[in-house]
Amino acid sequence: MIIFLIGYMGSGKSTVGYELAKLINYDFTDMDTLIEQQNNCSIVEIFENKGEEKFREIEHNTLKGLLTKNNIVISTGGGTPCFFNNLELMQNAGVTIYIKMSVDKLAERLSNARQKRPLIKDMSETDLHSFIQSNLEKREPYYLQAQYKVKAGNLNVNELATFIKKEIGLQ
Ligand code: S3P
């Protein structure tokens, strides 16, 4: 089985994914990290040098390259399910889990993690909050199509991984 974690930037997809994979003895891949390794440059550099459109193509191709894997947890990028037929590809290849978090919490968590994220890198604190709010509104229709929706709210990483494991019916 492939388990795809989807959700907004800063919702903790990578840390939870890593923890979940350990818990259920699956491999783990973080798509952004894989893209950086395969292209030998950072996500920020890809956006700066090639533009978002090219990044989305690269992201789409990276996803397609992962679809034949098995027993793996894949943490996607925040935009992954919202472009091309990526969501459909994920739904057909495995199980999708939306890691849901409030705008306030996302803004709080992202305020110190802007640097690595080209979409919000140069944004002020106030702009960040309203950007997340309107961007999440556009993206949630995709995220909400996930087979499982998990509120990340007040759980720590371990609790969340354990909760997801139970939710998807793994012993
Ligand atoms: C993006 C999210 C990032 C990364 C890129 C674009 C987005 O991943 O793929 O900066 O469009 O939301 P994270 O969700 O891991 O930050």
Side-chain angles (χ1 to χ4, degrees):
M1 176 161 70
I2 306 183
I3 299 171
F4 294 99
L5 299 189
I6 68 174
Y8 205 73
M9 292 182 265
S11 57
K13 301 180 295 287
S14 305
T15 38
V16 176
Y18 178 77
E19 213 52 41
L20 176 66
K22 248 194 338 191
L23 197 64
I24 60 177
N25 256 316
Y26 271 34
D27 291 332
F28 171 71
T29 290
D30 179 78
M31 271 183 56
D32 282 338
T33 309
L34 185 61
I35 289 171
E36 293 184 329
Q37 285 164 353
Q38 286 176 345
N39 291 273
N40 214 3
C41 66
S42 69
I43 301 289
V44 169
E45 282 168 334
I46 298 177
F47 268 71
E48 273 170 9
N49 301 334
K50 301 178 174 165
E52 177 170 355
E53 212 171 307
K54 183 69 192 167
F55 170 77
R56 296 302 171 192
E57 261 173 52
I58 295 173
E59 185 179 47
H60 178 59
N61 289 328
T62 301
L63 175 66
K64 285 200 283 191
L66 290 168
L67 299 175
T68 53
K69 302 263 181 209
N70 197 18
N71 293 351
I72 188 169
V73 177
I74 299 173
S75 295
T76 62
T80 312
C82 315
F83 291 85
F84 306 105
N85 62 338
N86 292 350
L87 180 60
E88 192 189 337
L89 292 177
M90 292 191 271
Q91 310 275 34
N92 290 339
V95 166
T96 46
I97 300 169
Y98 173 28
I99 311 288
K100 194 171 160 58
M101 197 174 265
S102 70
V103 174
D104 285 351
K105 188 109 192 187
L106 289 169
E108 184 191 312
R109 286 165 58 99
L110 283 170
S111 116
N112 294 320
R114 270 172 276 188
Q115 237 25 50
K116 274 172 42 190
R117 294 180 164 100
L119 293 178
I120 53 170
K121 201 166 131 312
D122 302 313
M123 236 170 239
S124 73
E125 200 99 352
T126 21
D127 288 348
L128 182 65
H129 194 280
S130 50
F131 174 80
I132 295 171
Q133 188 144 31
S134 65
N135 196 216
L136 187 60
E137 243 168 63
K138 288 188 204 124
R139 288 180 170 190
E140 264 216 318
Y142 297 93
Y143 297 154
L144 288 171
Q145 290 179 55
Q147 275 123 314
Y148 298 92
K149 297 148 197 95
V150 177
K151 274 208 188 104
N154 299 316
L155 301 179
N156 68 35
V157 181
N158 275 81
E159 291 165 339
L160 195 54
T162 307
F163 181 78
I164 293 172
K165 181 184 169 191
K166 278 209 199 103
E167 236 351 66
I168 59 181
L170 291 172
Q171 294 314 306

